[in-house]
Amino acid sequence: MLNRIDLVTIGVPDLRYGIDAYTRLGFDVDESGIATNDGDRLELEVGSEGLQSIALASDALAADLAGVRLRGSADYVRLVAPNPAAPSRHPNGVLRIERVYIAVKDVAAAAALYARVLGVPTPKMERGTVIHADMAIFQFGATALGLAQPVAPGVCADALQSRGPGPFQILYRTSSMDAAAKWMDIHGVPPPVRGIRNTGEQAMLVAPEHACGVYIGFVGMP
């Protein structure tokens, strides 16, 4: 059974550069480029900038891998065994990943493919009001994988145009939006763009030029 997003891997031009960038965003990143949350991790690796891959944790890895091999492949997603670690105390108040988004050209077709390959139901479509996209949200425990097709100019459209289909945003649940914003302001990061999610919650979004090619979002209490 696939039970959560375990790991997101972000390409950086240089490890120290990446650590410094994510430290300015308020993440407690160790010297190997890893930041741990409650049940998931962020890992920086030297390579092309941007969000490179998403790992889903399985509590029956051998069986799930065999099933995926029979059903095909889902781009950018791999399966791993759970790798629990003590969460860091991030200055931005981040608790865990809320969602990771992949930009696609045809969300209905992509959702059907991912559902078949991963062996899960196809989710209903919903409208993302911050990224201006139609979305298929696959829920895995407390975390979710979102496929997004732009419907208007905005974050998703920009990502699809500049980088093509692929992962482009990580949305984090934080204990304090204000703490995250204050930390970034003190450390020279321009004020994130704010918006209202389709859930009614406030969200804010850091542009990729400040996060090594990735949109980093925050959602939570003030």
Side-chain angles (χ1 to χ4, degrees):
M1 180 177 177
L2 305 178
N3 49 34
R4 69 176 304 115
I5 293 174
D6 179 88
L7 172 68
V8 288
T9 303
I10 297 172
V12 297
D14 172 83
L15 188 57
R16 173 47 57 187
Y17 176 89
I19 291 172
D20 290 346
Y22 275 80
T23 298
R24 287 192 295 273
L25 297 183
F27 290 92
D28 179 16
V29 187
D30 69 21
E31 290 303 306
S32 65
I34 294 175
T36 58
N37 305 311
D38 184 11
D40 62 75
R41 295 167 293 144
L42 175 155
E43 182 175 9
L44 307 176
E45 65 175 27
V46 177
S48 299
E49 278 199 329
L51 182 51
Q52 300 300 320
S53 66
I54 304 152
L56 300 176
S58 166
D59 57 11
L61 185 59
D64 282 334
L65 284 172
V68 167
R69 282 193 291 268
L70 286 173
R71 296 187 293 265
S73 63
D75 291 339
Y76 317 108
V77 174
R78 59 192 179 94
L79 307 187
V80 297
N83 185 18
S88 300
R89 293 186 177 182
H90 304 296
N92 58 18
V94 156
L95 303 171
R96 58 173 172 78
I97 289 174
E98 179 90 354
R99 287 181 184 175
V100 181
Y101 289 101
I102 298 174
V104 298
K105 293 182 178 180
D106 184 336
V107 68
L113 171 65
Y114 276 69
R116 184 181 77 248
V117 170
L118 297 176
V120 296
T122 304
K124 294 181 180 179
M125 297 297 159
E126 53 187 276
R127 178 63 53 87
T129 54
V130 176
I131 63 174
H132 301 293
D134 282 338
M135 309 184 303
I137 306 299
F138 292 87
Q139 195 71 39
F140 298 106
T143 64
L145 175 67
L147 306 177
Q149 176 186 345
V151 294
V155 170
C156 187
D158 290 346
L160 193 59
Q161 182 176 11
S162 63
R163 298 179 61 88
F168 70 98
Q169 181 186 336
I170 309 168
L171 179 64
Y172 284 98
R173 174 68 57 176
T174 176
S175 61
S176 174
M177 296 269 282
D178 290 345
K182 183 177 180 180
W183 176 271
M184 287 185 279
D185 179 58
I186 291 172
H187 290 83
V189 179
V193 175
R194 293 193 178 242
I196 304 296
R197 301 177 75 193
N198 59 357
T199 60
E201 291 181 293
Q202 290 191 3
M204 59 186 185
L205 200 59
V206 176
E209 55 264 34
H210 304 293
C212 301
V214 185
Y215 285 97
I216 298 292
F218 300 90
V219 63
M221 300 297 292

